[in-house]
Amino acid sequence: MKKVVEDFDEKTPSKADHWVQNLKCGDSVNVYHIETVNDLNQFIGYAKRINNKYGDVYFRGQTSLYNGKMIPSLYRGQERLDSITEKYNRRINKVVKSKGFKGYDRAIFEPLIQHYGIKTPYIDLVDNVWVALWFALHEAQTKIINSHEYVYYYDSKAKFSYIVLMLSDATKGKEEKPGVYVGEKTTLIDLRKSTSSVFLRPHAQHAYMIKKNEECPGDYSDLIVGIAQIPTSKGLSWLGCNEFLSLKSLFPACHFDSGYEHFLRYYPEENRGTVKAYGSIQILTD
């Protein structure tokens, strides 16, 4: 159960126009044009309020709506989801038994490594609108060289940026272990509770990860309950020059993020083809 935001047009002093986006799951959702900080805060608050009987609403920033798709990184561009899942499971099971990772809980290890560049069946979420806005306003370019992806972030050139609101039924009352919440349909990981702060990046990003409780969860668009469209120029002006919302804060160098250093040192390095399919511990460049 969920409630999609359908009647936000008259909720604020500044009329929020909308258009309709069809989703891959077969549903549709109104995309509301937001031009003020107050309207954005109210939009998020309204979505949370009308869904309070069904779960908790989190958000993610995107530079595009990708034609209504919400596909986790592991499955993008893939057709045989069962085959890629089987190969992925073998890889992850091997890694958690290898030097440097013995004793890691896979339920936490998977969402953690996605934050450093490995492709998984999880989707990134946050509970901080300003972090979501930063990701909505910044694009990434990657280049694979040998066994690593090198990533460059820059201000989005798109006219509009998007904050997508998603519902999880894995609420705080369903905590199976610290930071791990399991609902009927989804599993939610609060990486700030489930992982040590030596892994600084997820703590800096207020990171959550969500996974549908299916064997091959190829699309998450059915979890979407609202979308805000923001003029990119306005969004960039809202963020300003806050050091908390800078690249060096959200993606701390391994000098400060010792967990990142550990991954760079011990996560298995692969050839270019494998990196393209499964990702790598990414290296940020400017």
Side-chain angles (χ1 to χ4, degrees):
M1 294 289 293
K2 67 178 180 181
K3 281 195 175 182
V4 176
V5 178
E6 296 179 332
D7 55 350
F8 191 68
D9 307 62
E10 305 295 339
K11 298 295 182 183
T12 68
S14 50
K15 183 175 174 62
D17 294 328
H18 74 267
W19 55 276
V20 177
Q21 172 68 62
N22 294 321
L23 303 176
K24 178 177 172 60
C25 65
D27 297 337
S28 62
V29 62
N30 290 346
V31 179
Y32 286 92
H33 186 77
I34 303 292
E35 292 212 359
T36 73
V37 169
N38 288 335
D39 285 358
L40 180 58
N41 285 331
Q42 188 169 351
F43 180 72
I44 293 170
Y46 184 61
K48 283 178 171 285
R49 177 69 176 81
I50 64 176
N51 280 286
N52 63 11
K53 294 180 180 179
Y54 310 116
D56 293 323
V57 173
Y58 300 89
F59 13 99
R60 56 184 278 111
Q62 299 185 173
T63 58
S64 169
L65 293 180
Y66 306 106
N67 295 318
K69 299 175 183 177
M70 184 65 70
I71 300 175
S73 58
L74 180 66
Y75 298 130
R76 290 170 194 164
Q78 302 288 341
E79 294 183 0
R80 289 290 309 277
L81 303 191
D82 54 348
S83 176
I84 194 74
T85 300
E86 181 181 350
K87 293 174 184 176
Y88 165 79
N89 284 333
R90 288 202 300 265
R91 289 175 56 80
I92 295 300
N93 288 333
K94 182 178 179 180
V95 171
V96 295
K97 296 176 182 178
S98 66
K99 178 182 179 182
F101 300 111
K102 289 181 180 178
Y104 278 63
D105 184 339
R106 178 174 165 170
I108 297 167
F109 183 71
E110 283 184 78
L112 177 61
I113 58 176
Q114 175 155 314
H115 262 274
Y116 291 91
I118 304 300
K119 297 179 180 181
T120 80
Y122 284 80
I123 291 283
D124 301 71
L125 298 173
V126 297
D127 64 352
N128 182 311
V129 63
W130 300 111
V131 175
L133 187 60
W134 190 95
F135 281 98
L137 297 167
H138 291 86
E139 298 185 64
Q141 291 286 343
T142 63
K143 185 177 288 291
I144 300 175
I145 302 175
N146 298 328
S147 60
H148 284 288
E149 288 178 286
Y150 293 80
V151 184
Y152 166 58
Y153 278 96
Y154 58 94
D155 290 354
S156 175
K157 306 301 181 185
K159 184 176 182 180
F160 298 111
S161 301
Y162 303 92
I163 292 182
V164 181
L165 310 186
M166 300 180 69
L167 179 72
S168 173
D169 65 347
T171 58
K172 299 298 174 66
K174 302 175 181 177
E175 190 170 22
E176 290 205 344
K177 59 185 73 172
V180 178
Y181 309 95
V182 180
E184 182 178 339
K185 186 172 184 178
T186 65
T187 295
L188 186 76
I189 313 295
D190 181 348
L191 286 174
R192 289 167 298 173
K193 287 187 67 176
S194 62
T195 62
S196 166
S197 60
V198 300
F199 297 100
L200 185 54
R201 185 181 299 182
H203 289 266
Q205 294 182 8
H206 296 239
Y208 284 79
M209 301 292 288
I210 191 170
K211 182 178 182 295
K212 290 168 69 171
N213 299 335
E214 303 172 5
E215 186 175 357
C216 304
D219 175 64
Y220 287 69
S221 64
D222 58 318
L223 303 182
I224 295 173
V225 296
I227 301 176
Q229 173 184 273
I230 301 159
T232 299
S233 58
K234 281 186 177 290
L236 289 169
S237 71
W238 296 346
L239 288 187
C241 298
N242 186 335
E243 189 166 348
F244 273 109
L245 295 172
S246 64
L247 187 70
K248 68 178 181 180
S249 172
L250 295 173
F251 295 89
C254 59
H255 176 77
F256 305 100
D257 187 338
S258 54
Y260 181 24
E261 178 188 4
H262 186 83
F263 281 146
L264 288 170
R265 190 179 302 277
Y266 291 108
Y267 198 88
E269 296 188 355
E270 305 282 1
N271 59 43
R272 177 184 174 87
T274 303
V275 170
K276 188 175 181 180
Y278 299 99
S280 71
I281 303 302
Q282 295 172 335
I283 299 173
L284 273 67
T285 62
D286 54 20

